Amino acid sequence: MKPKLLVATLALAGLSACAQAPMSTAGGAPRMTATAHARIPHYRLAVADVIKISVWHNKRLSETVPVRPDGRISMPLIGSVSVAGHTASGVARTIKTKLAYYVRDPQVTVIVTHVVQDSYQDRIRVTGAVEHPASLRYEPGMTVLDAVLDAGGINTFAAANDTEIHRVVGHSERVIHVRLGNILSEGRLGTNYRLRPGDIITVPERLL
């Protein structure tokens, strides 16, 4: 290797090492924020996914757990935490907030270690007055319009502005009203909401 090339290579290696080194506090400890990493950006957790929770300097609170059928996990000190339908970063913030009552300045990291691909809970269902009622695989960023178009659009009997999203949040169901007619005919996207895994879109028929 030529001398100049060797110097350049070593310099790049040094920069790479600096980029990978953790930031330190005044006491020399890594500064870890309530961050999270997942295989898919903004991926929302589903039942049977597995997450690794790390609480810096507290092995007793650090563990790897699956998302239970009720969409929750359990942790020492804080008990049950609802995680299904939330991003890993959102779960990290929730855990950090709850732990703050028991642990001084907890530093929490959540990593998705296993994703249940194309599971029952991950699907979006479009029912009612659409051309082809469908069960669709959820994709991050999917909107109401995306799902309805994948179902072939509305049919001639649709009362499009009475469309609803039925979403399970915790142990209760939330109904979100969608002005689908305004979206399709006027391009008014105010109610073109982003969907979550498990959402059901219902397009009712109009009264004759």
Side-chain angles (χ1 to χ4, degrees), residues 15 28 37 47 50 60 64 71 84-85 88 97 100 105 122 129 145 152 165 168 178 181 190 204:
L15 287 173
H37 306 278
V47 171
V50 179
R60 187 170 65 89
T64 300
T97 299
D105 191 24
D122 285 340
L145 181 58
I165 301 171
V168 175
V178 177

Side-chain angles (χ1 to χ4, degrees), residues 7 27 40 59 75 80 97 116 120 131 142 181:
V7 171
I40 306 171
K59 291 184 178 180
M75 280 192 65
S80 183
T97 299
V116 181
Y120 178 85
E131 291 293 343
M142 179 183 284

